[in-house]
Amino acid sequence: MKKKLLFALISIISLLGTATSQQKTTLSAQIYGYQRDMVYFDCVQTPLIAQEFHTNPGEEHIYSFDCDNLVYMTINGRVKVVLQPGDSLHVDINYDGKNVKVEYSGSERAVNNNRLFKGIENIKRSMRYKGQLLGCIALDIKPKSRIDDSRILLEKANALIGNSQASDEAKNYVKAMVDYDVYMSFIEYPVMYESTRGLAVASQEIGDYWNITEGYTTRNDAESLSCPEYASLLMRYCFYMNEKAAREKGETYSMPKVMEEMYKEFASFYSGEQRDFLLYTLLRNFIMNGKEIERADVLYKDYLEKYNSNASYKSIIDMLLQ
């Protein structure tokens, strides 16, 4: 009862702040059956939103923070939740071996949003849809089967999204994650299968590989352009489309292998917010890798002078470079 009363008060306080542009957002969790010493809350968009707690079964871990836009959080790296400014979300987590049971409560929008995310995961689970393409290779899943399953996933996901009470922002983020699964399977899996299993793309019974993304329009909404998985798709899509254009001209294309070449190709292929997002992601990932960081200096200067418009990107990279 005390827990419910406390969380109700948090929800009320959060709702009172909805008139401001930056609202206090609260994530709380009670965790059972967890075998490690620390509980971690981490945000995939920024390392500036993070908290850790000593594990104490049944204790409520509460973290309140400010955010301007939707954020995607992980709890202990495995349980994933989405929050928007002003949301209050409580998560009950029960570990039972490899299985994890999750229940949500809190503000209506937060619960609806996270139920949508959980619904997508349930679809994948029911389809036995592998999240990693290397896992598909290990199981020798044929490209035609993977692509057919990806089309089914897209259809089922769109139906679920259409019937969901989740916010438009959460739907955008979910669509970006589904696009990553589907279109990376279209673009990357056939060539990956060819290189590892020796079956030429032309013999995989998938139709015309160079028209497999026909009709697809890349996403430009703020939520998609905050999704790390979607950044990976946009990067691979750039290489795919540039190789396709080279083939049509009878030219040979070499996919860029180093950061400097990737930077140049992304800067040329994309524009506006998409370009800003990809160049930031490329630089951030290279810096966080912790090797030859000085190579990023020249490109970072160029990025700030020509392409950066999102102030939070600059703040995060500056912090990483300190």
Side-chain angles (χ1 to χ4, degrees), residues 51-239:
Q51 188 61 275
E52 60 183 49
F53 309 88
H54 289 284
T55 300
N56 188 3
E59 179 180 342
E60 187 175 26
H61 305 300
I62 303 175
Y63 176 42
S64 293
F65 56 92
D66 293 320
C67 61
D68 295 309
N69 302 297
L70 178 148
V71 292
Y72 197 53
M73 305 283 291
T74 64
I75 302 174
N76 298 333
R78 185 171 177 184
V79 175
K80 300 172 183 179
V81 298
V82 60
L83 297 111
Q84 291 182 244
D87 280 353
S88 294
L89 182 70
H90 179 79
V91 190
D92 282 312
I93 304 172
N94 285 274
Y95 288 84
D96 182 13
K98 294 183 179 180
N99 298 317
V100 181
K101 183 179 179 181
V102 178
E103 295 183 358
Y104 307 109
S105 58
S107 55
E108 182 178 6
R109 181 179 64 182
V111 172
N112 287 336
N113 287 351
N114 283 280
R115 284 177 178 166
L116 173 59
F117 277 73
K118 188 175 182 180
I120 297 294
E121 291 302 313
N122 288 340
I123 290 173
K124 292 182 185 179
R125 191 175 300 110
S126 68
M127 293 177 60
R128 297 186 178 180
Y129 188 89
K130 296 293 181 184
Q132 297 293 329
L133 294 181
L134 285 174
C136 297
I137 292 289
L139 294 173
D140 196 17
I141 295 174
K142 300 298 187 286
K144 184 179 185 304
S145 178
R146 176 66 179 189
I147 289 170
D148 287 346
D149 284 347
S150 296
R151 290 193 172 108
I152 293 171
L153 171 63
L154 183 60
E155 181 180 352
K156 290 186 174 183
N158 284 338
L160 182 64
I161 292 167
N163 291 321
S164 173
Q165 298 301 310
S167 68
D168 290 341
E169 293 83 1
K171 289 179 179 180
N172 285 340
Y173 201 97
V174 167
K175 288 175 183 177
M177 296 183 74
V178 172
D179 278 6
Y180 166 78
D181 285 323
V182 172
Y183 290 98
M184 281 295 279
S185 296
F186 288 3
I187 296 171
E188 180 67 9
Y189 194 61
V191 294
M192 180 186 292
Y193 194 89
E194 179 181 59
S195 66
T196 56
R197 294 288 182 174
L199 182 64
V201 171
S203 301
Q204 292 174 6
E205 301 179 340
I206 62 171
D208 183 359
Y209 172 74
W210 295 108
N211 285 316
I212 202 165
T213 63
E214 187 175 3
Y216 180 64
T217 301
T218 57
R219 303 183 61 79
N220 201 41
D221 57 87
E223 293 74 38
S224 296
L225 299 186
S226 71
C227 176
E229 292 87 353
Y230 198 67
S232 297
L233 172 60
L234 289 178
M235 291 177 182
R236 187 63 182 89
Y237 183 79
C238 169
F239 302 151

